[in-house]
Amino acid sequence: MSRAARDWLGVVVVWAGLGIAVWQRHEDTERYRIPSESMIPTLEIGDRITVNKEAYDDEDPELQDIVVIRPPRGAVSGGRLCGVDVSEGELCPRPRGKPADVFFVQRIVAGPGDRLRVRRGRAIVDGKPLEEPYAQRCVVGVGCTPKGEITIPDDHWFMMGDNRGASDDSRFWGPVPRDQIVGRADDCRLLNLRCEKSDDPG
């Protein structure tokens, strides 16, 4: 197979409707299709995003960035999700195990050293509610108002889906190490930039 053909090889990775489909790969970007409702209203089922894999080569991830991650193995292996023992409905402070062989799309809501609580699905960082106009209301369920406050470990980031009542995220399986962040979604509409017309049918 030629190098050009390998670059455009599509690979589908989906687990329990939460993973995202990878269908175009290049050296510095990847294209993904969204199969679940965890990022509604920002990303709908079937939406496609372009992920910049070099976005964090020279800078740290930032709050509210939309990123593709390889979640900790605890997110997909069943049984105990968190890397430490927590009571039911309690925030997970540390991940468990090596990265899983799936990809999730999530939003960063807290970074290293931040103190985090979650109330009605909204992130409260260092005692102040994060501005989250994109977040869907969350009232019912253990993920809406989990118990406790955690401090994000060094070189880890805490992820949540925008559809807070229907997202499997760091609330349950912990913050994500930097080396498990694949890249940042750089589509112009996600960065609040003016989108230029494109001839790309994809």
Side-chain angles (χ1 to χ4, degrees):
M1 183 183 294
S2 69
R3 180 175 179 179
R6 285 196 304 270
D7 284 346
W8 287 89
L9 179 66
V11 180
V12 176
V13 185
V14 178
W15 176 83
L18 297 170
I20 50 181
V22 187
W23 88 97
Q24 290 177 2
R25 283 184 165 165
H26 299 277
E27 185 173 336
D28 58 350
T29 63
E30 287 184 349
R31 295 271 283 167
Y32 295 83
R33 188 190 311 271
I34 309 300
S36 80
E37 59 184 15
S38 67
M39 284 295 290
I40 289 175
T42 308
L43 294 169
E44 302 282 348
I45 295 173
D47 280 355
R48 302 172 182 184
I49 59 173
T50 300
V51 172
N52 179 359
K53 296 186 292 183
E54 298 180 344
Y56 303 125
D57 285 356
D58 299 314
E59 60 186 62
D60 288 334
E62 296 184 4
L63 296 190
Q64 302 185 329
D65 283 356
I66 295 175
V67 294
V68 168
I69 62 170
R70 292 182 64 196
R73 192 168 301 279
V76 300
S77 62
R80 185 163 57 90
L81 303 182
C82 190
V84 298
D85 290 331
V86 294
S87 64
E88 184 177 356
E90 188 174 0
L91 278 176
C92 177
R94 290 190 178 276
R96 178 172 72 87
K98 297 178 180 179
D101 292 327
V102 296
F103 300 97
F104 287 3
V105 60
Q106 311 260 267
R107 190 184 293 271
I108 297 174
V109 300
D114 287 340
R115 291 180 294 106
L116 175 75
R117 291 184 294 128
V118 177
R119 294 294 177 268
R120 297 186 178 180
R122 299 301 180 101
I124 300 173
V125 180
D126 294 334
K128 298 180 180 179
L130 191 65
E131 282 290 326
E132 299 185 285
Y134 43 77
Q136 291 286 82
R137 191 164 178 246
C138 179
V139 178
V140 180
V142 294
C144 293
T145 304
K147 304 171 189 174
E149 178 180 273
I150 64 172
T151 298
I152 312 304
D154 289 345
D155 212 31
H156 285 63
W157 278 261
F158 196 95
M159 311 289 173
M160 292 173 68
D162 290 354
N163 192 3
R164 299 290 159 81
S167 176
D168 182 7
D169 52 42
S170 290
R171 287 172 288 177
F172 310 101
W173 36 257
V176 176
R178 184 188 183 115
D179 61 6
Q180 290 174 215
I181 300 176
V182 176
R184 181 183 65 207
D186 275 358
D187 303 77
C188 57
R189 67 187 178 86
L190 302 180
L191 295 171
N192 295 318
L193 302 176
R194 182 188 175 111
C195 295
E196 297 181 1
K197 289 185 179 180
S198 170
D199 296 327
D200 179 5

